[in-house]
Amino acid sequence: MAAVIEGNTGTWEMVIGLEVHAQVISEAKLFSGAATAFGAEPNSQVSLVDAAMPGMLPVINEACVAQAVRTGLGLNAQINKLSVFDRKNYFYADLPQGYQISQLYHPIVGEGTIVLDLEDGRTREVGIERLHLEQDAAKSIHDQDPRRTFIDLNRTGVGLMEIVSKPDLRSPEEVGAYLRKLRSIVRYLGTCDGNMEEGSMRCDVNVSVRKVGDNEFGTRCEVKNVNSIRAVQQAIEYEAARQVELLEDGGKVIQETRLWDPGKGITRSMRGKEEAHDYRYFPDPDLLPLELDDDWVEAIKQTLPELPDAKKARFMADYGLSEYDARVLVAERARADFYEDVAKGRDAKLSANWVITELFGALNKSGKDIGDSPVTAAQLGGLVDLIADDTISGRIAKDVFADMLETGRDADAIVEAKGLKQVTDTGAIAAVIDQVLAEQADKVAEYRSGKDKLFGFFVGQTMKKSGGKANPAAVNEILKQKLDG
Ligand code: ADP
Ligand code: MG
């Protein structure tokens, strides 16, 4: 993924801003009592308000407001004590009311920040412009009938948080980091499940280009229908390259809404850019302005969990972990908790290695979440204990771990049953070494005539002969005595 584009007339950079729609986790919808559970029978979770029956009135759901405030606090953002719901008027089959209730002029949350963790270990702060509350629309189903589109009103009126970034992002990589971090934060907070495949987190991406060194932004296009981090990144690469080519050919970028076509890998024009006045925004006369109490906001603040950035800093300071290890562990709260359970009272780095390299590696391979781990934190801790007290070597531990993954048995039971206890009896090790040296008389001669590198070979042979069970430190020591002493 390129951060800049080399054109015929110079080097161009991308300027990107994201509008993320995050479905609020709540029992009921934003303005009605209908349920919000995903995957229910179509049109089974629709109140008269959602269906826009005449005379029905919206009633604000306090739980959704609390979730928006909670998210704002998690983004270190300004919480606006006064916000106002506006009607955004347009016609579409997925919108029975003929307008969406949203917040344009006075959003519930103002400016905030989010810290990106970039691949090379650097971090970068990106600005949040605002977060506002609005209603989700119904879901159009196009793939069940060749000619007709069906409408499922279950999603109508579900609370959405639209989280708008500043145009601070400069590459597809940064956009990936932004989406991952935002998803991680809302999941920690429990305000959105962040599931892009199920559509509970969706985004529109605004892209423009300018020559490196220019101060002014170029004209942007907004790209819709990007349903995964990968699609967002591909769409940005394509769209930025398209704009550069257009500009270098003497053309102009027209501000418009474009659609990402994942099959063809291109964006195409969908409609001209609409302005706020096109939607005839006005304050919804059915809803009072929303006023928040300081105490109420403060009470929410008191319930915030430790968030990824703070947890990462703590893992580095308290456990002495590298930035990379800490980052991998805190990406998901369940992973961080699992690690802390393993590390409690044990060697923190050894524990981190086993959790990240061995356990996460195995889970990735089998496509499992940490929640489905066949090995519990207590069990992995038991294995770490056996390594730490020299009952088994790190090498044997890998075999034991493979057995644990498969059978779910405890490490000490496996070591016992398979007779894998490390041999620390120096007499027994010396006997094996004597055998090895006798069998490898040629190599011993070579070694003694100066071929130092062969030392590792003797270690390897001894370990092999002992079935991997000889204590490596003892092997080294006794070999040294016998060869050099
Ligand atoms: P609208 O509601 O008309 O789409 P917003 O002001 O809400 O406009 O901005 C939408 C997004 O566009 C924001 O994320 C913002 O950062 C981004 N943006 C604004 N100007 C540019 C630009 N020149 N290039 C790229 N992104 C931009
Ligand atoms: Mg927009």
Side-chain angles (χ1 to χ4, degrees):
M1 282 183 289
V4 293
I5 299 169
E6 296 300 338
N8 298 322
T9 62
T11 306
W12 299 79
E13 75 173 347
M14 311 173 192
V15 173
I16 306 154
L18 292 184
E19 296 162 81
V20 171
H21 290 93
Q23 258 182 10
V24 174
I25 293 180
S26 62
E27 296 287 328
K29 296 183 181 179
L30 182 54
F31 299 113
S32 86
T36 59
F38 182 80
E41 175 80 9
N43 297 310
S44 65
Q45 297 174 162
V46 187
S47 76
L48 297 172
V49 174
D50 308 325
M53 290 297 159
M56 301 312 296
L57 291 173
V59 178
I60 186 86
N61 178 351
E62 184 178 328
C64 292
V65 177
Q67 292 288 57
V69 168
R70 195 171 165 78
T71 307
L73 292 169
L75 297 171
N76 300 307
Q78 164 80 33
I79 305 300
N80 293 326
K81 288 179 65 184
L82 182 86
S83 64
V84 177
F85 287 103
D86 299 304
R87 287 188 181 180
K88 179 181 184 181
N89 300 279
Y90 64 93
F91 169 79
Y92 202 70
D94 66 9
L95 189 71
Q97 285 173 155
Y99 57 85
Q100 177 194 36
I101 305 178
S102 181
Q103 298 187 308
L104 180 65
Y105 301 106
H106 304 284
I108 186 164
V109 175
E111 293 185 339
T113 53
I114 189 163
V115 176
L116 310 188
D117 298 298
L118 300 171
E119 250 138 60
D120 58 9
R122 280 180 309 127
T123 57
R124 192 161 102 68
E125 200 170 287
V126 164
I128 299 289
E129 178 71 42
R130 58 188 280 156
L131 176 157
H132 65 255
L133 270 171
E134 61 186 28
Q135 298 174 299
D136 206 345
K139 193 172 175 163
S140 305
I141 301 168
H142 304 290
D143 58 2
Q144 299 204 351
D145 188 280
R147 278 187 312 245
R148 293 177 298 173
T149 291
F150 296 122
I151 300 288
D152 176 5
L153 292 174
N154 285 355
R155 206 174 69 182
T156 307
V158 168
L160 279 186
M161 300 178 282
E162 177 167 334
I163 303 164
V164 183
S165 84
K166 304 225 175 203
D168 286 351
L169 298 156
R170 293 289 176 272
S171 67
E173 189 212 333
E174 288 189 355
V175 169
Y178 176 87
L179 287 169
R180 278 192 295 274
K181 191 56 165 286
L182 183 59
R183 183 172 62 187
S184 173
I185 291 172
V186 293
R187 284 179 172 168
Y188 265 72
L189 293 167
T191 55
C192 168
D193 67 26
N195 203 330
M196 291 185 83
E197 302 80 66
E198 286 178 3
S200 47
M201 194 169 125
R202 313 188 283 272
C203 87
D204 301 333
V205 52
N206 294 268
V207 182
S208 66
V209 295
R210 65 176 173 186
K211 282 268 176 66
V212 169
D214 278 2
N215 287 319
E216 301 286 308
F217 286 148
T219 303
R220 72 182 197 260
C221 290
E222 179 173 338
V223 183
K224 292 188 180 290
N225 194 39
V226 279
N227 301 324
S228 67
I229 291 178
R230 195 160 154 63
V232 178
Q233 292 177 325
Q234 289 173 330
I236 292 167
E237 295 235 25
Y238 175 87
E239 181 57 21
R242 183 190 73 86
Q243 291 180 13
V244 166
E245 201 177 303
L246 188 65
L247 292 168
E248 292 201 325
D249 284 350
K252 266 179 124 174
V253 175
I254 305 161
Q255 191 174 341
E256 62 182 355
T257 303
R258 299 178 67 86
L259 200 69
W260 169 243
D261 180 335
K264 296 206 178 81
I266 60 169
T267 64
R268 56 188 152 75
S269 183
M270 186 170 140
R271 56 174 190 248
K273 173 73 190 164
E274 49 294 286
E275 306 287 341
H277 62 253
D278 295 322
Y279 289 113
R280 297 288 187 274
Y281 275 98
F282 64 88
D284 193 306
D286 292 339
L287 289 160
L288 288 168
L290 193 56
E291 285 184 67
L292 308 180
D293 249 34
D294 284 334
D295 293 350
W296 188 77
V297 173
E298 188 52 38
I300 294 173
K301 202 175 198 166
Q302 295 308 319
T303 66
L304 289 196
E306 180 183 39
L307 290 169
D309 293 331
K311 206 184 271 295
K312 182 172 114 181
R314 179 168 65 80
F315 277 19
M316 290 169 71
D318 290 4
Y319 296 117
L321 299 185
S322 67
E323 193 274 343
Y324 175 83
D325 284 357
R327 179 202 299 200
V328 171
L329 290 169
V330 307
E332 262 181 65
R333 194 168 163 178
R335 291 181 169 215
D337 290 347
F338 191 102
Y339 167 71
E340 291 209 270
D341 286 343
V342 175
K344 196 176 289 162
R346 300 192 175 95
D347 182 320
K349 284 188 193 170
L350 183 62
S351 300
N353 278 343
W354 276 89
V355 171
I356 296 171
T357 314
E358 304 303 328
L359 178 66
F360 292 174
L363 292 176
N364 278 350
K365 237 188 236 162
S366 56
K368 282 189 179 135
D369 277 340
I370 187 82
D372 314 318
S373 171
V375 174
T376 66
Q379 285 179 309
L380 188 53
L383 179 67
V384 170
D385 287 340
L386 295 181
I387 304 166
D389 70 7
D390 277 338
T391 305
I392 55 174
S393 66
R395 169 71 206 77
I396 291 286
K398 292 195 183 187
D399 296 340
V400 175
F401 185 63
D403 193 328
M404 293 168 76
L405 284 171
E406 217 178 285
T407 63
R409 287 196 295 172
D410 287 348
D412 49 5
I414 294 167
V415 168
E416 195 63 43
K418 293 187 165 173
L420 296 174
K421 268 208 179 92
Q422 181 159 247
V423 178
T424 44
D425 169 1
T426 47
I429 294 174
V432 176
I433 288 177
D434 286 339
Q435 263 183 31
V436 169
L437 298 185
E439 284 166 15
Q440 307 286 352
D442 296 358
K443 293 258 163 53
V444 172
E446 281 179 51
Y447 177 84
R448 290 208 166 114
S449 65
K451 218 170 161 193
D452 288 356
K453 271 190 253 157
L454 280 170
F455 191 80
F457 167 79
F458 297 119
V459 174
Q461 290 296 309
T462 309
M463 292 306 292
K464 198 169 156 195
K465 221 180 221 348
S466 75
K469 289 188 288 185
N471 175 294
V475 170
N476 270 281
E477 194 170 315
I478 300 168
L479 260 174
K480 246 185 221 129
Q481 285 166 13
K482 294 205 182 270
L483 287 167
D484 305 336

